[in-house]
C-alpha cells in the first residue's frame, strides 16, 4: 500500500493567513512577524502570510502591506498571499509579493458567500488575473474549495471539481490545492476524488488542503501520500476555519502532520520541537488553546521529548540536508 509514498513532502504553512483570518482577536503585525520568525526557525520554506482583500471583509488581515514590508530577506523561502481580484493583485505586486494564490469554489453558493461572485464569474475573471500575474513574473497557486462537500449545497459532483481543477491548471496555476473546506471527507471519497483529478492534472501540480472537523484529516492525508501527493497545506496548532463556511473547524495541524510523517520516515525539513514552540506562540497570539492533538499530547507529557515525538522532524531535517 505504501509503495508510492514519497520520500520527502512539503508542508505549505497557511496559519498566518487561513488561520488568523478566522480568529476574533486581530493579532498585531509585530506578533504575526514573531510567529512567522518561529515558523522559519522550524524550517518552513513555503508559507502563505496574508491576504490582499478588503479589510471590511477580513479585518484580521488589514495589515497586509505592513506585514509584507517587514518580511525578512530570505530568497530561499516562498512567501505567498491570497488575492481575489485585480485590485488585490495590484496591491500584492506593489508590496513586492512574488507568489499569489486565488480561490475558486466548486460550490456556487459558497462562491457567492465567499467572494460575492458565482463560480463561473470567478473562473472567468481569474483567466485575466492569472495572465497579468504571470506576465509580471508572479507565480500563481490555485485553491479549489468545497471539493469534498459544501455547507450550503451538501455533496458536490466530483466531475465539477475535476473540470475546475483543470481550468485552474490551464490558467497557469503551478499548483492546485484541493480543499476539504468543512472537513467532511473520508478516505474512500478522497481516493475517488484524487483518482479523478490525477487523470487530468499532473501529480506534481496537486496539493491537499484538509480540515479536521471530524478528525479524519490525517486519514485523508495518508490516502494522498499513498497516491503520491508531495505537498500538503497545514496550519500551526490547527489554526483556521472559514468565515463563510459554517461548521468548518481548523486546518490539519502542521506539527501533527509533521510528527506522523517523521514516524513514517518521510522527510519534511521541519524540526518538531521548534514547531511545538511555534504552536505555543500561536496560542498566545490568538489568546486561546488551539485544537492540534499532537500539541496537546506534548503539553500533557510535560517535556517535548517525553512522548518520543516532540522532536519529530529533526531527523528529517538532517536527512534532507
Amino acid at each position: 500500500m505504501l509503495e508510492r509514498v514519497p520520500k520527502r513532502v512539503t508542508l505549505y504553512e497557511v496559519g498566518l493567513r487561513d488561520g488568523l483570518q478566522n480568529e476574533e482577536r486581530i493579532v498585531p503585525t509585530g506578533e504575526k512577524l514573531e510567529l512567522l520568525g518561529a515558523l522559519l526557525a522550524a524550517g518552513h520554506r513555503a508559507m502563505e502570510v496574508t491576504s490582499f482583500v478588503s479589510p471590511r471583509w477580513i479585518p484580521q488581515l488589514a495589515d497586509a502591506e505592513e506585514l509584507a514590508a517587514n518580511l525578512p530577506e530570505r530568497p530561499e523561502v516562498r512567501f505567498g498571499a491570497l488575492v481575489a481580484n485585480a485590485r488585490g493583485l495590484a496591491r500584492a505586486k506593489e508590496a513586492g509579493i512574488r507568489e499569489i494564490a486565488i480561490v475558486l469554489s466548486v460550490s456556487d453558493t459558497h462562491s457567492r458567500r465567499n467572494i460575492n461572485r458565482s463560480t463561473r464569474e470567478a473562473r472567468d475573471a481569474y483567466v485575466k488575473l492569472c495572465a497579468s500575474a504571470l506576465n509580471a513574473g508572479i507565480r500563481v497557486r490555485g485553491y479549489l474549495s468545497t471539493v469534498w462537500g459544501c455547507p450550503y449545497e451538501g455533496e458536490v459532483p466530483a466531475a465539477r471539481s475535476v473540470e475546475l481543477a483543470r481550468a485552474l491548471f490551464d490558467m497557469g496555476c503551478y499548483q492546485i490545492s484541493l480543499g476539504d473546506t468543512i472537513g467532511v471527507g473520508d478516505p474512500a471519497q478522497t481516493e475517488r476524488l484524487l483518482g479523478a483529478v490525477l487523470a487530468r492534472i499532473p501529480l506534481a501540480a496537486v496539493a491537499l488542503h484538509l480540515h479536521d472537523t471530524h478528525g479524519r484529516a490525517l486519514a485523508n492525508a495518508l490516502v494522498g501520500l499513498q497516491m503520491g501527493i508531495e505537498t500538503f497545506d497545514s496550519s500551526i496548532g490547527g489554526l483556521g476555519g472559514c468565515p463563510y463556511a459554517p461548521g468548518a473547524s481548523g486546518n490539519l495541524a502542521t506539527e501533527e502532520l509533521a510528527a506522523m510523517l517523521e514516524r513514517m520516515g518521510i522527510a519534511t525539513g521541519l524540526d518538531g520541537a521548534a514547531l511545538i514552540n511555534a504552536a505555543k506562540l500561536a496560542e498566545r497570539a490568538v489568546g486561546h488553546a488551539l485544537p492540534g492533538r499532537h500539541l496537546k499530547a506534548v503539553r500533557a507529557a510535560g517535556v517535548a521529548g517525553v512522548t518520543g515525538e516532540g522532536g519529530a522532524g529533526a531527523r528529517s531535517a538532517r536527512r534532507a540536508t
Side-chain angles (χ1 to χ4, degrees):
M1 291 176 63
L2 301 180
E3 64 271 8
R4 291 190 65 190
V5 169
K7 291 181 169 53
R8 180 183 179 89
V9 303
T10 296
L11 301 194
Y12 191 94
E13 177 63 46
V14 298
L16 286 163
R17 194 280 299 176
D18 194 25
L20 294 184
Q21 74 173 12
N22 205 49
E23 290 293 324
E24 283 190 25
R25 181 176 187 243
I26 296 179
V27 178
T29 307
E31 293 183 32
K32 291 179 182 178
L33 290 168
E34 186 181 3
L35 177 56
L36 184 146
L39 293 167
L40 291 174
H44 275 294
R45 296 295 178 264
M47 62 177 71
E48 194 171 75
V49 295
T50 191
S51 177
F52 288 89
V53 298
S54 172
R56 290 181 302 164
W57 300 110
I58 309 290
Q60 297 90 337
L61 304 178
D63 62 345
E65 277 84 0
E66 182 182 0
L67 183 73
N70 287 281
L71 291 174
E73 291 289 340
R74 298 286 296 270
E76 78 281 11
V77 179
R78 289 157 42 208
F79 294 119
L82 185 76
V83 305
N85 50 37
R87 172 60 183 152
L89 174 60
R91 289 175 59 199
K93 182 179 177 182
E94 177 80 13
I97 295 296
R98 307 311 301 162
E99 176 171 319
I100 63 163
I102 57 175
V103 59
L104 185 63
S105 180
V106 180
S107 156
D108 204 55
T109 305
H110 181 263
S111 182
R112 292 182 185 278
R113 299 289 182 95
N114 192 33
I115 58 175
N116 200 32
R117 287 182 292 192
S118 70
T119 299
R120 177 178 290 277
E121 289 168 341
R123 182 189 65 187
D124 292 346
Y126 285 151
V127 173
K128 183 176 180 180
L129 188 147
C130 285
S132 296
L134 294 171
N135 287 337
I138 298 173
R139 282 161 50 102
V140 184
R141 190 172 193 254
Y143 287 111
L144 197 60
S145 62
T146 64
V147 173
W148 279 255
C150 170
Y152 307 105
E153 297 180 11
E155 190 168 346
V156 295
R160 193 157 193 235
S161 295
V162 173
E163 173 195 352
L164 294 173
R166 182 69 206 190
L168 288 172
F169 183 74
D170 289 342
M171 289 177 204
C173 293
Y174 78 89
Q175 190 172 67
I176 295 91
S177 181
L178 306 176
D180 186 4
T181 308
I182 55 174
V184 294
D186 63 76
Q189 183 188 17
T190 299
E191 183 178 25
R192 291 193 301 272
L193 279 168
L194 271 180
V197 170
L198 291 174
R200 298 286 310 280
I201 307 292
L203 177 63
V206 178
L208 289 184
H209 183 111
L210 304 168
H211 285 235
D212 205 29
T213 312
H214 298 283
R216 297 193 288 265
L218 278 179
N220 290 322
L222 180 59
V223 173
L225 287 167
Q226 290 170 336
M227 299 182 74
I229 299 297
E230 296 181 354
T231 300
F232 295 83
D233 296 354
S234 63
S235 178
I236 194 69
L239 272 168
C242 177
Y244 303 102
S249 66
N251 293 277
L252 176 54
T254 302
E255 69 281 358
E256 193 166 322
L257 179 55
M260 184 184 83
L261 294 170
E262 168 67 16
R263 290 183 65 87
M264 294 175 67
I266 300 172
T268 64
L270 301 176
D271 180 272
L275 287 175
I276 292 297
N277 290 336
K280 291 177 179 177
L281 187 62
E283 285 189 324
R284 290 197 295 272
V286 299
H288 61 82
L290 292 176
R293 289 168 292 190
H294 182 62
L295 174 61
K296 293 177 182 177
V298 169
R299 178 178 286 118
V303 179
V306 169
T307 63
E309 298 186 11
R315 294 187 296 278
S316 291
R318 287 195 291 271
R319 283 200 301 267
T321 57

